[in-house]
């Protein structure tokens, strides 16, 4: 136990520990923890929850059923951990309602752990293979997500039992300047995208005079394919709130705002419940841990604008104004919310700060690379086996992330590129798979760390279309304030639109490139400045793919609808089979002479249903690009 | 307070600490292209992206409206890198501007014409095809006509309306669709706009004009 100079909070802390420890003493009962975060619910966790509840009432009334967050293994959702006394806790997934009933009946009732549904035990033990034998568990290093998916996000006691709030307790016994020194010494960098040194930011904010200061937790995660902040808030809001409180203490603030996008209703609800729980424990509000320090957090719901992830736009939105970025200086640390010094950090940064205060900066520094310390959280999406949320030490290579943690690309397809950092990030080709994932290496390769969305692309993904997708997103989400972002991205989008339809010229390509650089340099805020990254990085690594589109009318990935066609090879088509005829939504396929099917190219909408549904023993449908030359 | 000394295009000037470059230059009669700058505003708007200058010792051009003056700073207003960004923003603005000077009430008194003239730019969208918003002109108000197709979204009318008057005007929508509008897009004539016409006076182009 760490000693605290402040005798008042020392006593309060000990009482709190006693109180929470009392909760677990007593006879152990079987316990089921089911992940019911948004990701779990999407896979049917609420049905599983109902099944558990029903079966527990029927055959194991002593068992406890708890709803927890997400352990990050989306591919295996719904996920449950069953702790049956006499066995190590075991992780199961996917737990369908049927599996749920069997776990209660057979495992809790009769002691058969049903290992056919298990991913592994979550503790090393003699009896049952543990999950740590799986490569993903071995390579992950969970700091920010340490408690996500294990604790009940509604009960602060559970967080305390796992070592939560030791960081704040320690901080409260330190001089605020030493707290900042500790964060600086740890080398923590902002995990919201740009990677600005967090300790320095805290220091700058502290240095500005003023009685009233604010701390803002930025949970306006909006990148397509990113869901780290959501999972964190739904699974473990306490880490974020502890980090905010520490930050408040460090910079001299007594009021924080937790800004969460409106599209995350469950995250908002769980954060609210968590805050109530913390207030009840004396860890939020007046006189925290009897230390004399007050810190109150208000939950703020975003209104659905991507731009409000930008700090000055977020501040404007919090003030009730239109979410539009403003020029800097002044930085928020000087003139933020209502003109007061304001510290704004990403939720993951705040959670990491809480761990640093608990475990000390040398421990944190031991993780990561020389210039990027600690871990990074990524959401793995796209063409990958094991989608989900991972946390790995900075400096892990892309290849390790994709192959080891993600289990590689499905259907034996080849990895083509990894899109990192969402609309502000870039596409790195498979050839750069050995790039270490850290702030500087990614920037050098033409991407950014961003908030941590990682979309895996395979050979069927067209890079022009990918760039177009992200640019379209940015163009729609641009606040409209400055000309390069509002109009420049639109002009770029028009050129990309043309390319996906096989139209374009060398001259247009030149304009695209020039304009991309002008938007990058000329935009007002970070959103505009990074908006061209998807285009610039794909141009850098996949230029020939761009050229194929307008020079040959060919989409090498056979993905752009206007540049492909489907044909049926008569020799392979079977007279007896009419699967494609049924699959076609527009009646473009009919049986011709001798029952061989033919696609009417005039009617075909290129949906690809026939291509997908043609039985594997025939594989008579082919997809070609350009459309004119193939098939015959 | 000690004044800060700096040079712009070789000309020595002084300015109060905390002044932005653009304000310092304009007050000394050194013209730097701009559309959205309001001298009395607390913070620069920074939206038109036209006031690019180069600061000696810095790699990238900066917008003069948002860069505070610094002792000994040497500034060039017409360097190549600054010109490139300025012309790009200018062309982009023109690609969304209904260019019909002959019938425009602001002809010969227009911010875009002034920049084209003084910078030697053709009054054309250059590399880009012109695509004007195609929105209806609002002439519902007895004193003001609002033509969104001429608007460059400099935000000056919003500032003046919100800080000095009823606050009828604001930005709405996102991306290319972003525009100046009233609450729920009601015609100006049906709002509480009293017709002070400060928005007309401050509009650098022909978007808000006096009804005769």
């Amino acid at each position: 136990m760490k000693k605290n100079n402040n005798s008042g909070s020392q006593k309060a802390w000990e009482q709190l520990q006693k109180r929470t420890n009392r909760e677990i003493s007593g006879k152990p009962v079987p316990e089921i923890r089911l992940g019911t975060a948004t990701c779990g619910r999407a896979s049917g966790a609420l049905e599983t929850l109902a099944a558990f509840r029903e079966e527990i009432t029927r055959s194991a009334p002593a068992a406890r059923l708890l709803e927890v967050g997400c352990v990050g293994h989306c591919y295996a959702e719904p996920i449950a951990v069953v702790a049956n006394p006499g066995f190590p806790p075991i992780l199961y997934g996917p737990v369908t309602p049927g599996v749920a009933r069997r776990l209660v009946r057979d495992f809790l009732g009769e002691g058969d752990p049903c290992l056919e549904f298990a991913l592994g035990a979550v503790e090393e033990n003699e009896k049952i293979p543990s999950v740590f034998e799986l490569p993903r568990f071995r390579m992950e290093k969970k700091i920010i997500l340490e408690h996500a998916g294990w604790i009940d996000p509604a009960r602060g006691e559970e967080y305390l039992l796992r070592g939560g709030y030791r960081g704040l307790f320690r901080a409260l016994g330190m001089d605020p300047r030493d707290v900042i020194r500790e964060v600086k010494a740890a080398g923590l960098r902002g995990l919201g995208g740009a990677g600005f040194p967090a300790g320095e930011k805290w220091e700058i904010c502290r240095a500005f005079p003023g009685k009233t200061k604010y701390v803002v937790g930025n949970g306006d995660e909006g990148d397509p394919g990113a869901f780290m902040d959501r999972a964190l808030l739904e699974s473990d809001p306490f880490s974020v709130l502890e980090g905010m409180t520490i930050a408040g203490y460090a910079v001299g603030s007594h009021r924080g705002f937790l800004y969460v996008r409106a599209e995350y209703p469950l995250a908002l609800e769980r954060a609210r419940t968590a805050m109530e729980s913390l207030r009840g424990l004396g860890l939020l509000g007046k006189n925290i841990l009897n230390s004399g320090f007050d810190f109150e957090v208000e939950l703020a719901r975003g209104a659905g604008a991507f731009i409000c992830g930008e700090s000055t736009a977020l501040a404007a939105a919090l003030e009730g104004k239109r979410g539009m970025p403003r020029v800097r200086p002044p930085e928020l640390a000087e003139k933020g919310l209502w003109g007061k010094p304001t510290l704004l950090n990403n939720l993951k940064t705040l959670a990491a700060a809480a761990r640093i205060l608990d475990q000390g900066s040398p421990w944190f520094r031991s993780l990561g690379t020389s210039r990027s310390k600690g871990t990074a959280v990524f959401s793995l999406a796209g063409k990958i086996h094991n989608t989900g949320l991972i946390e790995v030490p900075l400096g892990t290579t892309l290849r390790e992330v994709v192959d080891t943690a993600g289990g590689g690309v499905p259907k034996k397809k080849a990895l083509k590129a990894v899109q990192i950092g969402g609309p502000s990030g870039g596409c790195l080709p498979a050839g750069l798979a050995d790039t270490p994932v850290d702030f500087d290496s990614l920037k050098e390769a033409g991407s950014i760390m961003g908030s941590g969305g990682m979309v895996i692309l395979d050979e069927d993904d067209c890079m022009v279309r990918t760039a177009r997708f992200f640019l379209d997103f940015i163009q729609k989400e641009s606040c409209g304030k400055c000309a390069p972002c509002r109009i420049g991205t639109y002009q770029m989008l028009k050129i990309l639109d043309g390319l996906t339809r096989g139209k374009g010229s060398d001259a247009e390509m030149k304009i695209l490139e020039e304009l991309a650089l002008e938007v990058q340099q000329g935009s007002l805020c970070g959103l505009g400045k990074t908006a061209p990254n998807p285009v610039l990085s794909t141009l850098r690594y996949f230029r020939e793919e761009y050229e194929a589109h307008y020079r040959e009318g060919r989409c090498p990935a056979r993905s752009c609808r206007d540049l492909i066609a489907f044909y049926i090879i008569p020799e392979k088509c079977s007279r007896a089979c009419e699967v494609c005829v049924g699959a076609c939504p527009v009646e473009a396929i009919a049986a011709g002479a001798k029952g061989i099917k033919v696609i009417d190219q005039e009617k075909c909408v290129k949906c690809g249903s026939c291509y997908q549904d043609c039985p594997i023993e025939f594989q008579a449908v082919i997809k070609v690009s350009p459309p004119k030359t193939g098939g015959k | 307070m000690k004044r800060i000394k700096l040079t712009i295009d070789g000309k020595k000037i002084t300015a109060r600490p905390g002044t932005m470059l653009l304000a310092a230059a304009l007050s000394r009669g050194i013209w730097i292209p701009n559309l959205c700058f309001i001298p009395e505003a607390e913070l620069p708007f920074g939206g038109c992206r036209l006031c690019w200058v180069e600061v000696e010792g810095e790699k990238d051009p900066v917008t003069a409206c948002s860069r505070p003056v610094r002792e000994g700073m040497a500034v060039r207003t017409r360097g190549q890198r600054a010109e490139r960004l300025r012309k790009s923003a200018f062309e982009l603005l023109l690609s969304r501007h209904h260019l019909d000077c002959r019938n425009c009430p602001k002809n010969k008194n227009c911010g875009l014409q002034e920049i084209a003239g003084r910078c030697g730019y053709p009054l054309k969208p250059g590399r880009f095809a012109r695509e004007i918003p195609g929105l209806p002109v609002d002439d519902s108000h007895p004193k003001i006509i609002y033509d969104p197709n001429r608007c460059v979204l400099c935000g000056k009318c919003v500032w003046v309306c919100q800080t000095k008057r009823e606050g009828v005007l604001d930005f709405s929508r996102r991306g290319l669709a972003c525009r100046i509008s009233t609450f729920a897009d009601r015609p100006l004539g049906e709002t509480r706009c009293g017709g002070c016409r400060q928005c007309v006076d401050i509009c650098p182009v022909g978007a808000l004009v006096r009804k005769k």
Side-chain angles (χ1 to χ4, degrees):
Chain A
M1 180 69 55
K2 273 147 194 146
K3 275 277 168 206
N4 194 301
N5 302 332
N6 187 326
S7 62
S9 51
Q10 176 73 35
K11 208 167 154 203
W13 177 250
E14 277 163 15
Q15 274 170 358
L16 195 60
Q17 293 292 319
K18 227 180 267 169
R19 186 170 145 195
T20 47
N21 279 323
R22 208 163 356 171
E23 293 239 332
I24 47 159
S25 54
K27 196 166 169 275
V29 292
E31 198 177 71
I32 296 169
R33 287 169 184 256
L34 177 68
T36 57
T38 301
C39 41
R41 292 181 180 196
S43 310
L46 291 183
E47 286 79 11
T48 302
L49 183 72
F52 266 130
R53 203 168 273 151
E54 202 184 308
E55 197 56 45
I56 285 173
T57 323
R58 192 176 315 156
S59 48
R64 285 214 307 165
L65 178 63
L66 289 171
E67 286 185 60
V68 297
C70 158
V71 284
H73 294 251
C74 296
Y75 62 94
E77 295 273 15
I79 282 179
V81 179
V82 182
N84 195 6
F87 290 88
I90 303 172
L91 186 70
Y92 293 92
V95 183
T96 58
V99 173
R101 279 189 277 269
R102 278 201 53 194
L103 286 175
V104 178
R105 271 201 308 261
D106 296 356
F107 188 19
L108 299 191
E110 298 174 14
D112 167 13
C114 304
L115 290 181
E116 63 270 38
F117 307 121
L119 289 167
V122 298
E123 280 168 13
E124 300 284 355
N125 67 93
E126 301 283 299
K127 281 190 216 159
I128 293 161
S130 101
V131 288
F132 300 102
E133 287 166 31
L134 301 172
R136 172 146 167 180
F137 282 86
R138 252 205 319 270
M139 79 176 289
E140 282 202 74
K141 177 77 197 164
K142 295 212 172 180
I143 293 179
I144 295 160
L145 300 174
E146 190 184 344
H147 309 302
W150 307 112
I151 60 166
D152 179 352
R155 295 172 65 234
E157 292 89 342
E158 295 221 339
Y159 180 63
L160 280 166
L161 278 174
R162 285 178 59 104
Y165 273 91
R166 278 196 311 235
L168 176 71
F169 173 63
R170 181 166 164 242
L172 289 176
M174 292 161 73
D175 185 283
R177 278 168 296 230
D178 291 329
V179 174
I180 292 176
R181 250 171 241 139
E182 186 79 5
V183 177
K184 269 180 93 174
L188 174 66
R189 290 172 70 170
L191 295 167
F196 189 81
E200 232 167 273
K201 206 174 191 179
W202 290 25
E203 193 169 44
I204 295 167
C205 185
R206 178 172 179 83
F208 281 106
K211 260 193 174 163
T212 311
K213 291 184 185 178
Y214 299 106
V215 173
V216 179
N218 182 354
D220 191 54
E221 175 179 66
D223 291 7
F227 45 88
M228 298 78 58
D229 294 352
R230 185 192 72 207
L232 179 59
L233 270 186
E234 288 179 353
S235 311
D236 174 19
F238 305 112
S239 293
V240 175
L241 290 161
E242 184 187 353
M244 277 180 83
T245 313
I246 294 171
Y249 178 73
V251 303
S253 158
H254 300 286
R255 193 149 172 227
F257 292 91
L258 184 55
Y259 188 96
V260 183
R261 66 189 296 217
E263 293 88 335
Y264 288 174
L266 187 63
L268 280 154
E269 188 192 311
R270 287 192 169 176
R272 187 171 295 123
T273 317
M275 278 156 58
E276 272 162 34
S277 167
L278 290 176
R279 279 192 198 104
L281 293 166
L283 291 167
L284 194 64
K286 292 254 176 257
N287 194 17
I288 291 173
L289 279 173
N290 202 21
S291 65
F293 173 64
D294 305 336
F295 193 72
E296 196 43 75
V297 175
E298 199 175 303
L299 198 56
R301 204 174 66 135
F306 179 69
I307 186 61
C308 289
E310 199 274 346
S311 54
T312 58
L314 189 154
L318 264 179
E319 290 176 10
K321 298 178 189 149
R322 176 175 164 99
M324 263 180 161
R326 62 161 170 78
V327 298
R328 302 186 222 188
E331 297 293 336
L332 287 186
E334 182 184 354
K335 277 191 178 162
L337 284 174
W338 297 285
K340 307 292 182 198
T342 300
L343 173 74
L344 183 141
N345 277 136
N346 178 270
L347 302 188
K348 298 181 288 288
T349 318
L350 292 165
R355 305 285 185 269
I356 289 170
L357 262 295
D358 174 23
Q359 313 227 30
S361 53
W363 160 80
F364 192 80
R365 287 189 69 81
S366 69
L367 300 160
T369 67
S370 61
R371 296 202 50 216
S372 299
K373 301 293 178 197
T375 58
V377 181
F378 286 105
S379 52
L380 284 182
K383 306 286 179 59
I384 189 144
H385 266 294
N386 302 339
T387 52
L389 210 61
I390 59 158
E391 182 171 359
V392 291
L394 283 161
T396 308
T397 65
L398 280 176
R399 192 186 303 283
E400 289 171 300
V401 171
V402 173
D403 289 347
T404 314
V409 179
K411 295 186 193 160
K412 294 184 182 146
K413 302 262 181 181
L415 171 72
K416 183 169 183 181
V418 183
Q419 208 284 343
I420 307 168
S424 306
C427 285
L428 302 190
L432 288 181
D434 290 315
T435 307
V437 177
D438 64 61
F439 293 100
D440 306 302
S441 309
L442 285 184
K443 197 166 178 198
E444 210 169 286
S447 180
I448 61 164
M449 188 88 135
S451 54
M454 209 181 253
V455 184
I456 316 301
L457 307 171
D458 73 4
E459 54 192 276
D460 293 339
D461 289 306
C462 169
M463 301 318 283
V464 181
R465 257 185 87 176
T466 305
R468 192 206 162 278
F469 169 82
F470 284 109
L471 199 68
D472 182 51
F473 178 85
I474 284 287
Q475 158 55 216
K476 291 195 173 109
E477 289 293 338
S478 162
C479 80
K481 186 170 185 177
C482 77
C485 180
R486 178 181 75 241
I487 315 172
T489 56
Y490 172 71
Q491 294 289 355
M492 288 170 69
L493 185 62
K494 275 211 301 192
I495 297 175
L496 287 176
D497 256 340
L499 289 171
T500 58
R501 281 182 279 112
K503 299 195 175 74
S505 62
D506 291 347
E508 279 192 0
M509 285 291 284
K510 193 169 158 256
I511 295 175
L512 179 68
E513 277 192 274
E514 284 173 2
L515 188 55
L517 293 171
E518 287 155 14
V519 172
Q520 190 177 52
Q521 278 202 358
S523 292
L524 170 66
C525 80
L527 177 101
K529 282 184 201 294
T530 54
N533 281 354
V535 176
L536 286 168
S537 63
T538 46
L539 270 172
R540 180 166 159 192
Y541 298 116
F542 299 95
R543 181 175 293 270
E544 66 296 338
E545 207 168 318
Y546 277 82
E547 288 169 356
H549 277 76
Y550 71 92
R551 287 190 184 156
E552 305 163 40
R554 177 172 67 91
C555 173
R558 296 181 301 167
S559 158
C560 294
R561 214 167 256 209
D562 289 314
L563 305 183
I564 56 168
F566 293 91
Y567 291 95
I568 294 170
I569 303 174
E571 294 78 33
K572 288 193 173 179
C573 182
S574 161
R575 311 174 52 170
C577 163
E578 292 211 332
V579 169
C580 57
V581 178
C584 180
V586 293
E587 296 179 2
I589 308 179
K594 293 183 191 162
I596 302 299
K597 267 64 69 186
V598 180
I599 300 174
D600 182 343
Q601 297 295 333
E602 294 288 303
K603 284 188 187 163
C604 175
V605 291
K606 300 171 186 179
C607 66
S609 299
C610 54
Y611 182 68
Q612 271 181 4
D613 290 1
C614 181
I616 194 144
E617 60 266 37
F618 306 130
Q619 290 186 341
V621 183
I622 55 161
K623 177 159 73 167
V624 296
S625 178
K628 299 250 159 51
T629 53
K632 301 286 156 68
Chain B
M1 211 183 287
K2 196 166 172 259
R3 291 183 73 86
I4 289 193
K5 294 191 207 69
L6 66 152
T7 63
I8 301 180
D9 291 337
K11 193 173 163 186
K12 284 184 184 142
I13 66 163
T14 64
R16 273 213 319 271
T19 315
M20 298 294 176
L21 253 178
L22 181 61
L26 293 175
S27 69
R28 285 289 176 285
I30 302 169
W31 184 75
I32 297 172
N34 73 83
L35 284 175
C36 70
F37 177 67
I38 304 170
E40 34 167 337
E42 193 193 345
L43 271 178
F45 183 71
C48 73
R49 314 311 279 170
L50 290 166
C51 63
W52 294 102
V53 295
E54 290 169 17
V55 177
E56 202 178 270
E58 289 184 33
K59 197 172 113 264
D60 296 325
V62 299
T63 45
C65 68
S66 61
R67 175 54 71 95
V69 293
R70 200 188 61 229
E71 184 65 38
M73 166 185 234
V75 179
R76 283 174 64 201
T77 62
R78 301 299 301 264
Q80 224 176 9
R81 287 166 299 146
E83 275 307 291
R84 177 180 174 192
L85 295 183
R86 174 157 40 245
K87 194 162 181 206
S88 173
F90 185 76
E91 287 179 353
L92 287 170
L93 287 172
L94 277 187
S95 76
R96 297 287 292 170
H97 179 76
H98 182 210
L99 202 63
D100 178 27
C101 299
R102 223 176 339 162
N103 297 311
C104 177
K106 289 294 270 290
N107 191 12
K108 306 242 157 69
N109 181 25
C110 160
L112 289 168
Q113 284 179 338
E114 182 189 23
I115 292 165
R118 294 176 78 156
C119 293
Y121 301 155
L123 204 54
K124 283 179 189 156
R127 298 166 287 175
F128 312 115
R130 184 159 44 239
E131 216 175 293
I132 59 170
L135 295 167
V137 175
D138 179 0
D139 64 353
S140 60
H141 196 279
K143 292 178 166 177
I144 300 165
I145 301 175
Y146 168 46
D147 182 352
N149 306 304
R150 290 198 170 113
C151 177
V152 289
L153 280 137
C154 69
K156 280 178 169 174
C157 55
V158 174
W159 180 84
V160 85
C161 191
Q162 294 197 353
T163 47
K164 314 232 160 175
R165 298 296 296 205
E166 296 88 348
V168 166
L169 297 176
D170 203 346
F171 293 91
S172 71
R173 299 171 176 81
R174 297 176 212 175
L176 200 67
C178 181
R179 70 185 73 141
I180 306 293
S181 68
T182 60
F183 184 74
D185 289 326
R186 274 185 310 193
L188 258 183
E190 291 171 24
T191 65
R192 55 204 165 121
C193 167
C196 74
R197 291 195 291 213
Q198 290 186 76
C199 58
V200 170
D201 297 338
I202 207 166
C203 179
V205 294
L208 284 157
V209 294
R210 202 168 272 261
K211 200 172 195 175
K212 292 204 176 94

